[in-house]
Amino acid sequence: MAEDSKPLLGSIRTTDDFLQRGSTDSLDTRAKRPFYVEPRNIVVDASSERVSAQAAALSSRVQYYSKLTASSDRLLSPPDHVIPAPEEIYVYSPLGTAFKVKTGGDESSKNPSIITIFAIWNTMMGTSILSIPWGIKQAGFTLGIIILVTMGLLTLYCCYRVLKSTKAIPYVDSSDWEFPDVCRYYFGKFGQWSSLVFSMVSLMGAMVVYWVLMSNFLFNTGKFIYNYAHNVSMSDSEFGTNGSERVICPFPNTGPGGGNYSPSALYHGNAVVTSNETAVFDRWWNKTNTIPYYLIILLLPLLNFRSASFFARFTFLGTISVIYLIILVTLKAFRLGFHLEFHWIDPSEFYVPEFRLLFPQLTGVLTLAFFIHNCVITLMKSNRHQENNVRDLSVAYLLVGLTYLYVGVLIFGSFPSPPLSKDCIEPNFLDNFPSSDVTVFVARTCLLFQMTTVYPLLGYLVRVQMMGQIFGKHYPGFFYVLALNIVIVAAGVLMAKFYPDIGSIIRFSGALCGLALVFVFPSLVHMIAEHRRGELRWPSILFHSFLILLGLANLVAQFFM
């Protein structure tokens, strides 16, 4: 009876499988496979599905051969490539009934293509969208558009290679694998840990940027409320345009008439309010000296939650915030109009050249802006029609690229030059609008609340990946989790206090994680897979080697900007 409960068909291990034993054993889910009955041998009646006499005889022969074969000898077992797809497998019962194996879960839980496309769009629409106009300014308007389109196509191709990487692995069930598992299969422990480290870089970079932005948004939100409550006008204390649609230059090189511009007074109705009367508020409500510490009180307890399911309910706020940003940009561009002059090489007083040597700053930002490579396999698994994965991924990248292009072109084109120079565009384009702007105040408030709910989710991902690798469980203990969260928070506080430049943080983290997970690993995995199949050709070698060199040059160039 014990032998009857053993699987009729076992899995085959080739020589390569044994060499890769440490990296694939835990991932091979086909170690036990049921006996397969071809559909033509299924007899359908009113009550149940039963097997034909021919199929029953075949089952008896398989059991006979399995008894003749020792447990270490698999010569009589069928090879992997003849085993049918899981959805076509039936289990043969001794009573003569065939039961269809349920695989892939409930189809109703799968998402249609439109939901999958917007899930990818929503995942990629992060903080990078705020820095796209600044990146276009750094590269030049014409070159910036060319780079945005080119980087979108290159990152889409590399993401396509990541998506296909699990399908290129023979003789192993890789249906539940993620890209770090693929890297482990090809490169061993080095591939697994290096992909994990670079994934941590992208997550930590995002969390640092979030802390800097939350400090910025909280500061401006509090400033708006304080000025409104005390009827304080900042219109004459900020260098910028006049009129109802004010645009400011927070850090102008020169003020009106030359020389440094240093505002020294605020206006309270018709009376002047000196800086001494607001010194207390400015001392305790400072963007870099106090606000980053206030956030610790709110966010550090949230990071220690055992589960992140509560915060996952608010992910829809990301979509609402991006849609509101698009509406805000459209309204601002409509009211400000377009201010463009084309100076191809030489700069002018108010305009930047169309081609600038600072363009690697934009490539670094875009590497992170188009980065979804570490989770694209997971997102695509929920797609109802797997045959449309490549199409849906391409459409999602198209929407993301169009969104970035729309925001970047409108903000850059409508920035009022003159009287302000295009060089005044900030890494966070919302900083180019005064804190008294009601529409921008709403945008900052929405983004602040959204980031407050997303930040614990990012911390949860860091904890799961790091603690899972070190301790084998996601929550090894309160003090371990607290120590990790203190390190995460300290990184955000230090950057918000001493280096609150989100443009540089985004481009460095994007170039660093993009080197491995966007350019190097997908290209190497594809070339190795082609080599093992005997299909590697020189055009493929040259193109993918170019991608690797491009990723390396992208990182190195950030240190010279």
Side-chain angles (χ1 to χ4, degrees), residues 303-325:
L303 287 175
N304 293 289
F305 279 28
R306 183 181 293 268
S307 173
S309 58
F310 172 76
F311 304 104
R313 301 173 184 174
F314 298 95
T315 53
F316 69 93
L317 292 175
T319 304
I320 296 176
S321 299
V322 172
I323 293 175
Y324 182 80
L325 273 180

Side-chain angles (χ1 to χ4, degrees), residues 149-165 370 372-373 376 390 393-394 397 517-519 522-527 530 536 539-548:
V149 175
T150 304
M151 287 296 294
L153 293 174
L154 291 178
T155 51
L156 169 61
Y157 174 78
C158 294
C159 194
Y160 163 76
R161 283 299 164 207
V162 171
L163 185 63
K164 291 295 185 180
S165 61
F370 286 112
I372 199 176
H373 301 64
V376 65
V390 176
L393 180 65
S394 302
Y397 260 84
L517 298 180
V518 176
F519 296 107
S523 299
L524 287 179
V525 164
H526 178 63
M527 286 192 290
E530 283 191 325
L536 185 61
S540 178
I541 295 175
L542 293 176
F543 177 71
H544 293 93
S545 299
F546 166 74
L547 289 179
I548 295 174

Side-chain angles (χ1 to χ4, degrees), residues 229-446:
H230 294 82
N231 195 26
V232 175
S233 173
M234 298 289 294
S235 58
D236 293 333
S237 66
E238 297 169 319
F239 179 60
T241 62
N242 297 319
S244 58
E245 293 296 331
R246 277 181 51 79
V247 178
I248 63 173
C249 187
F251 304 102
N253 293 327
T254 58
N260 293 330
Y261 183 76
S262 301
S264 59
L266 304 177
Y267 286 81
H268 183 285
N270 296 322
V272 176
V273 180
T274 64
S275 57
N276 292 331
E277 296 182 33
T278 60
V280 175
F281 177 77
D282 292 338
R283 185 187 311 120
W284 293 102
W285 198 257
N286 187 280
K287 186 188 297 185
T288 58
N289 293 331
T290 59
I291 299 296
Y293 298 99
Y294 295 159
L295 289 173
I296 299 177
I297 303 174
L298 172 65
L299 295 175
L300 184 58
L302 298 181
L303 287 175
N304 293 289
F305 279 28
R306 183 181 293 268
S307 173
S309 58
F310 172 76
F311 304 104
R313 301 173 184 174
F314 298 95
T315 53
F316 69 93
L317 292 175
T319 304
I320 296 176
S321 299
V322 172
I323 293 175
Y324 182 80
L325 273 180
I326 294 174
I327 296 174
L328 174 66
V329 167
T330 305
L331 291 176
K332 291 294 183 183
F334 178 77
R335 292 174 179 175
L336 292 170
F338 274 80
H339 307 267
L340 289 174
E341 282 187 13
F342 295 93
H343 300 266
W344 298 104
I345 298 176
D346 298 326
S348 65
E349 182 180 1
F350 299 106
Y351 297 94
V352 297
E354 298 301 302
F355 298 89
R356 304 182 74 183
L357 295 178
L358 297 175
F359 69 87
Q361 295 186 348
L362 177 59
T363 61
V365 170
L366 290 176
T367 306
L368 191 62
F370 286 112
F371 181 72
I372 199 176
H373 301 64
N374 61 341
C375 61
V376 65
I377 297 177
T378 301
L379 289 173
M380 283 304 187
K381 283 179 182 177
S382 62
N383 197 7
R384 182 175 300 168
H385 301 286
Q386 291 293 303
E387 67 276 8
N388 296 333
N389 277 352
V390 176
R391 182 202 66 184
D392 296 344
L393 180 65
S394 302
V395 173
Y397 260 84
L398 176 62
L399 291 179
V400 171
L402 290 176
T403 304
Y404 289 151
L405 197 62
Y406 184 83
V407 172
V409 168
L410 286 190
I411 290 295
F412 182 90
S414 63
F415 194 83
S417 300
L420 303 180
S421 171
K422 296 288 187 182
D423 261 325
C424 284
I425 297 178
E426 289 293 300
N428 171 14
F429 74 81
L430 293 179
D431 286 343
N432 287 115
F433 299 99
S435 58
S436 58
D437 192 314
V438 177
T439 57
V440 179
F441 164 76
V442 174
R444 287 173 174 142
T445 305
C446 293

Side-chain angles (χ1 to χ4, degrees), residues 63-85:
Q63 293 184 37
Y64 174 73
Y65 284 122
S66 64
K67 293 179 180 179
L68 295 178
T69 306
S71 59
S72 61
D73 183 9
R74 292 299 187 182
L75 294 178
L76 295 180
S77 297
D80 286 350
H81 70 273
V82 302
I83 299 299

